[in-house]
Amino acid sequence: MKPIKVGLLGIGTVGGGTAAVLKRNAAEITRRAGCSIELTEVATRTISRAEGVVDSNVKVSADLESVVNNPEVDIVVELIGGTSLAKDLMLKAIDNGKHVVTANKALIATYGNEIFARAREKNVMIAFEGAVAGGVPIIKAIREALSANRIEWAAGIINGTSNFILTEMREKGASFADVLKEAQRLGYAESDPTFDIEGNDAAHKLTILSALAFGIPFQYEKAYIEGISKLDAADIKYAEELGYRIKLLGITRRTEKGIELRVHPTLIPEKRLIANVNGVMNAVLVKGDAVGATMYYGPGAGSEPTASAVVADIVDVARLLTADPQHRVPLSAFQPDMLSNDPILPIEEVVSSYYLRMQVADQAGVMAEITGILAQNSISIEALLQKEAQGGLAEIVILSHLAVEKQVNAAIAQIEALSASRGKVVKLRMESLG
Amino acid sequence: MKPIKVGLLGIGTVGGGTAAVLKRNAAEITRRAGCSIELTEVATRTISRAEGVVDSNVKVSADLESVVNNPEVDIVVELIGGTSLAKDLMLKAIDNGKHVVTANKALIATYGNEIFARAREKNVMIAFEGAVAGGVPIIKAIREALSANRIEWAAGIINGTSNFILTEMREKGASFADVLKEAQRLGYAESDPTFDIEGNDAAHKLTILSALAFGIPFQYEKAYIEGISKLDAADIKYAEELGYRIKLLGITRRTEKGIELRVHPTLIPEKRLIANVNGVMNAVLVKGDAVGATMYYGPGAGSEPTASAVVADIVDVARLLTADPQHRVPLSAFQPDMLSNDPILPIEEVVSSYYLRMQVADQAGVMAEITGILAQNSISIEALLQKEAQGGLAEIVILSHLAVEKQVNAAIAQIEALSASRGKVVKLRMESLG
């Protein structure tokens, strides 16, 4: 099958990530898409940077128009940001019959109605998963996965910078100004952080979610926007005393009178999962009449997380250009002739951490015997808890570092054979999921 | 555009939900899909029940073969469960050139390789979003949204019954046997709960996730399966002392030696979001090399939550049968000529709960004045906190029940005008997200 050719506008943080992912995962992407996807042209103002990222067979120039006019390019990926030049280029690409992938939330929220109308006219696709919540596939969830539902509302933590600041203010009891400085030092906030901390960025994303959830035009200009810069640390503390966390939330809700579209600091009961989304992470909670509440969580920004969404969009477009409808997505996610024959590991070969609980006679030297057995079997100890048990016995709980299951089983057999040992050792596996 | 005709096999819990959602949300589904989707035929052993659920123009019979042989039916929805009759019917439907939607995890995990091969041969689609984690769109996430990634591992709480039991054991310190009885009484566990509590159901779902994540055949027979029936309440308690929660986790991971495929009780650090997924809820955490970790959370079972996935699959198939590729999913999720003109509400019209903080002179009667103003403006109080502030002032924090923002603003103006009032009232909005 002929390769799909991609032209890239801009190779900054997300553009660089997109080029890197397309290159590194080329084989895995072809296994999924059924065709190869080739980056053939990059236009950027920082040519030297681009040349460090892409292969030598990729054309690199400062000529943005060249990409949107190149008849060889199937998909234009717009990652230059902003709303004037980006809009011109996108409309030109559409007029040239090219499909467009973008992560530009400001552009879609502000000019989406016009851009989509033009795209329908020219019969091209516009994909924009990266525009909301970075690597979290919330656009696909709302547009496709929840299509059975009348959506009632959506509420999201959709600005990582603000969430990082609020998390630090709560955990350290620090003021907004102090935490902002720290966030800027760590690179989580820009030198001019206005768009993030005043809620505009979240409102762009919320505008997109609202249009997709309810089937209304993009209406960014009607969003109510209130940021976190005036938030007092005292209110975070009082909220916590009352059982709440404060988050910068974008909320859109369908009511009998109309659609709510609002971004502001919001108290949320601390028992809600979304109240426990901390640091730069994003999460969107969607309430549908059939499914109830579902939540989508992950990194909302950054080079490769956002590139993950951009490349998934490229694959989605490529699938519609190359596959017959019945095979748009392969049944098993990968092309049937490209399945792998990796073996399934027997449980004895699995590497995990372990929780071991045992009862032993409370006598001198037992702990040395047990820890000796673990050491002989290459099992190192992360934590150890000794409890008094009934009838002169001691109960010992050990958490191990990573170990091979068969060695853990061998150690358990040796421990159970000790004269001080009473009964069976309880073994549970432990995963950090980090 | 001609309607898509759906035939339903089985109208139990999920089948009934599917019929109900297709009927109730017909207009919203048409706005999204661009064509109407009609349930035309139901086959079931409980005809009287079906007749209470579907309209009189839907053919209801006990003849399962009639649905898979009916030339009028475009999509067969298999919801009878089990792996023998369901398999025969599905293969017959495929042989008849019908697309099939199913929520049958046991069938796909056990016979998926054979069924998919036949479907490719006959050029039909098989959709099975409802087979894993009910209403949580984890199949779409892994097959489509994460296609840029080399997936490293997936770990999920994918059996609601077990998670309910583990949550109750932890919160109440109760034994497995006692909580199981309670779960059976509440309808969260079946009278024969073996498949849920011994991990087989989770292993079916994990087998499907593993095949889709790594591009390997379904290999249920090689899964390591350990349930929760032997779990001791003492270990849940010790795990908690050490900072962990115990969950029945399905884990599949790609290692250099092969693929891990295992279901067992697992200690997870309590600070992980997934460790805080409680009750009957499901969640799947997926680690991709580009995006990092993303998580998908929601109801993993039940009538309409699972129907949400089944109907989304029907819409997905319908889109490929009716739309041209460039318009498979409308850009704004809904058909462009079917957007709604619901107004965006001004913030003054929004209904929310409120957090109000004010400083007042610490003198008799002030609280009565404040609560009187709130009552006049139809604002009722959920909680009230009074703190000593500096300089003989009292600081009062009030949480309100639902109120209209303009009435809250009016109340704030009146409170600020009180002679005892000092400075501005801090107003924050509060959402239960329940």
Side-chain angles (χ1 to χ4, degrees), chain A residues 235 238 272 357 395 432, chain B residues 215 235 238 272 357 395 432:
Chain A
D235 293 310
Y238 290 150
R272 299 270 179 260
R357 175 167 62 89
E395 189 152 53
S432 76
Chain B
D235 294 309
Y238 290 149
R272 299 270 178 261
R357 175 168 61 89
E395 189 153 54
S432 76

Side-chain angles (χ1 to χ4, degrees), chain A residues 257-389:
Chain A
K257 291 183 174 175
I259 308 282
E260 296 179 5
L261 186 64
R262 50 192 173 103
V263 171
H264 50 68
T266 311
L267 279 78
I268 310 171
E270 66 187 4
K271 65 180 181 221
R272 299 270 179 260
L273 210 57
I274 196 170
N276 296 286
V277 170
N278 292 321
V280 296
M281 301 306 273
N282 280 204
V284 181
L285 190 59
V286 185
K287 176 82 189 306
D289 69 336
V291 72
T294 53
M295 194 179 86
Y296 308 84
Y297 163 89
S303 175
E304 290 209 359
T306 310
S308 168
V310 168
V311 173
D313 274 350
I314 295 171
V315 171
D316 247 17
V317 174
R319 281 172 164 157
L320 291 175
L321 298 180
T322 57
D324 64 310
Q326 272 72 349
H327 295 146
R328 186 182 73 85
V329 185
L331 293 172
S332 283
F334 291 79
Q335 300 298 318
D337 56 350
M338 290 178 161
L339 293 193
S340 117
N341 56 8
D342 286 338
I344 303 293
L345 281 181
I347 192 71
E348 293 75 19
E349 299 298 327
V350 162
V351 175
S352 179
S353 302
Y354 292 84
Y355 164 104
L356 304 174
R357 175 167 62 89
M358 57 206 75
Q359 290 199 341
V360 295
D362 196 1
Q363 63 195 44
V366 178
M367 190 63 89
E369 287 185 301
I370 291 169
T371 53
I373 289 170
L374 293 175
Q376 282 160 34
N377 288 284
S378 310
I379 300 161
S380 68
I381 297 173
E382 188 198 312
L384 197 149
L385 199 68
Q386 179 165 350
K387 297 265 177 183
E388 215 170 306

Side-chain angles (χ1 to χ4, degrees), chain B residues 35-327:
Chain B
C35 63
S36 75
I37 291 170
E38 291 176 8
L39 179 61
T40 57
E41 186 169 359
V42 176
T44 171
R45 276 170 298 187
T46 52
I47 291 183
S48 59
R49 177 169 175 178
E51 285 171 344
V53 174
V54 300
D55 285 340
S56 57
N57 59 342
V58 178
K59 181 185 164 194
V60 177
S61 79
D63 185 1
L64 296 159
E65 298 265 342
S66 149
V67 172
V68 302
N69 291 326
N70 182 346
E72 295 289 306
V73 166
D74 301 300
I75 303 173
V76 170
V77 179
E78 182 280 302
L79 296 170
I80 58 170
T83 53
S84 55
L85 184 55
K87 184 188 169 202
D88 287 349
L89 288 164
M90 193 180 280
L91 291 175
K92 274 184 191 151
I94 293 169
D95 286 342
N96 289 334
K98 308 217 175 294
H99 308 287
V100 178
V101 173
T102 182
N104 192 330
K105 56 221 76 166
L107 183 60
I108 299 293
T110 317
Y111 298 107
N113 303 319
E114 178 185 348
I115 290 167
F116 285 9
R118 187 80 71 93
R120 281 190 292 266
E121 207 178 292
K122 299 292 177 180
N123 209 28
V124 299
M125 288 175 268
I126 310 289
F128 50 102
E129 182 66 72
V132 182
V136 183
I138 185 63
I139 304 280
K140 190 172 273 285
I142 291 185
R143 287 211 307 182
E144 303 182 35
L146 301 178
S147 59
N149 291 268
R150 189 173 157 84
I151 292 175
E152 297 172 1
W153 52 262
I157 295 171
I158 44 183
N159 182 273
T161 304
S162 299
N163 202 49
F164 173 82
I165 292 173
L166 292 178
T167 303
E168 292 286 299
M169 286 176 74
R170 184 181 76 81
E171 289 179 356
K172 300 183 176 163
S175 74
F176 172 81
D178 287 348
V179 176
L180 175 60
K181 266 184 225 137
E182 172 77 358
Q184 286 172 320
R185 201 182 57 77
L186 291 169
Y188 292 152
E190 298 187 40
S191 54
D192 177 0
T194 312
F195 254 53
D196 289 318
I197 63 173
E198 296 303 353
N200 309 77
D201 174 75
H204 283 140
K205 294 165 180 167
L206 184 70
T207 297
I208 297 173
L209 293 180
S210 181
L212 302 181
F214 305 125
I216 57 172
F218 298 101
Q219 293 166 79
Y220 173 70
E221 71 286 359
K222 294 191 182 155
Y224 174 80
I225 309 174
E226 187 183 319
I228 61 167
S229 60
K230 296 189 183 68
L231 197 63
D232 194 321
D235 294 309
I236 294 178
K237 190 166 65 72
Y238 290 149
E240 187 145 11
E241 278 182 42
L242 291 157
Y244 294 83
R245 300 276 167 85
I246 297 182
K247 296 290 181 186
L248 181 67
L249 219 59
I251 304 170
T252 185
R253 177 183 275 128
R254 175 149 50 183
T255 75
E256 284 184 11
K257 292 185 176 175
I259 308 282
E260 296 179 6
L261 186 64
R262 49 193 173 104
V263 171
H264 51 68
T266 311
L267 279 78
I268 310 170
E270 66 186 4
K271 65 180 181 222
R272 299 270 178 261
L273 211 55
I274 196 170
N276 296 284
V277 169
N278 291 322
V280 295
M281 300 305 274
N282 279 204
V284 181
L285 189 60
V286 185
K287 177 82 188 309
D289 69 337
V291 70
T294 53
M295 195 177 86
Y296 307 83
Y297 163 89
S303 175
E304 290 210 359
T306 309
S308 168
V310 169
V311 173
D313 274 349
I314 295 172
V315 171
D316 248 18
V317 174
R319 281 173 164 156
L320 291 175
L321 298 181
T322 57
D324 65 309
Q326 272 72 349
H327 296 146

Side-chain angles (χ1 to χ4, degrees), chain B residues 13-33:
Chain B
T13 306
V14 178
T18 299
V21 168
L22 281 173
K23 184 174 162 183
R24 185 178 73 237
N25 289 350
E28 195 83 340
I29 290 168
T30 300
R31 282 180 75 207
R32 292 177 180 273

Side-chain angles (χ1 to χ4, degrees), chain A residues 42-114:
Chain A
V42 176
T44 170
R45 276 170 301 186
T46 53
I47 291 183
S48 59
R49 176 167 176 179
E51 285 170 346
V53 174
V54 301
D55 285 339
S56 57
N57 59 342
V58 178
K59 181 183 164 195
V60 176
S61 79
D63 185 0
L64 296 159
E65 299 265 342
S66 150
V67 172
V68 302
N69 291 326
N70 182 345
E72 294 288 306
V73 166
D74 300 301
I75 303 173
V76 170
V77 179
E78 183 280 303
L79 296 170
I80 58 171
T83 53
S84 54
L85 183 55
K87 183 188 170 200
D88 287 349
L89 288 164
M90 193 180 280
L91 291 175
K92 273 182 192 152
I94 293 168
D95 286 343
N96 289 333
K98 307 215 175 298
H99 308 286
V100 178
V101 173
T102 182
N104 192 329
K105 56 222 79 165
L107 184 60
I108 299 294
T110 317
Y111 299 108
N113 303 320
E114 179 186 346

Side-chain angles (χ1 to χ4, degrees), chain A residues 194-249:
Chain A
T194 312
F195 253 53
D196 289 317
I197 63 173
E198 296 303 353
N200 308 77
D201 174 76
H204 283 139
K205 295 165 180 167
L206 183 70
T207 297
I208 297 172
L209 292 180
S210 181
L212 302 181
F214 305 125
I216 57 172
F218 297 101
Q219 293 165 82
Y220 174 69
E221 71 286 358
K222 293 189 183 157
Y224 174 79
I225 308 174
E226 188 183 318
I228 60 168
S229 61
K230 294 188 186 70
L231 196 64
D232 194 322
D235 293 310
I236 294 178
K237 190 167 63 73
Y238 290 150
E240 187 145 11
E241 278 183 44
L242 292 157
Y244 294 83
R245 300 277 166 85
I246 297 182
K247 296 290 180 187
L248 182 67
L249 218 60

